[in-house]
Amino acid sequence: MLDDRDRLLLDLLQDDADRPVQELAERASLSASACSRRIQRLRDEGYLRRRVALVDRRRINLPTTVFVIVKTSRHSGGWLEEFRAALASIPEIVEVHRLTGNVDYILKVVLPDVEHYDTIYKRLVSRVELSDVSAYISMETMKADVPLPTRYA
């Protein structure tokens, strides 16, 4: 069970995982050693999965986001393994969700430009059978890379 200090540490680390332990400790009203132990416990208990760096997509020439809606008539275990393997082989596909309703999956694809989508489309459909694929170009990112709310833990 998390207490308020644990939640505060999670919030601070989501904002900037490179903060010095001393700064985190001061903000959480803890000693540096107690703060380090709490952070290690949060890692050990799986609250902190890993540390990553958020790369500026524009600086690495991936400013375009395309959301791809996928429908399939296949749902067998074998097909799902093929689909997972196809997704894993295409690094431009950065997020995938299985959905309820009329659509089976939504994929978030990052690209240097809209024209590059055709390359990704061809790679995907050459690896797995899909019944319908539709693409939607994001015009503007209005909210992204935000910290998760910690009050539910």
Side-chain angles (χ1 to χ4, degrees), residues 63-81:
T64 305
T65 302
V66 175
F67 291 95
V68 180
I69 303 298
V70 173
K71 294 180 183 179
T72 182
S73 57
R74 310 262 323 266
H75 297 279
S76 68
W79 180 88
L80 186 56
E81 288 303 314

Side-chain angles (χ1 to χ4, degrees), residues 91-110:
E92 292 87 351
I93 299 173
V94 296
E95 202 169 320
V96 179
H97 298 267
R98 187 167 55 91
L99 305 174
T100 62
N102 297 330
V103 173
D104 295 305
Y105 300 93
I106 186 169
L107 290 57
K108 179 180 179 182
V109 183
V110 295

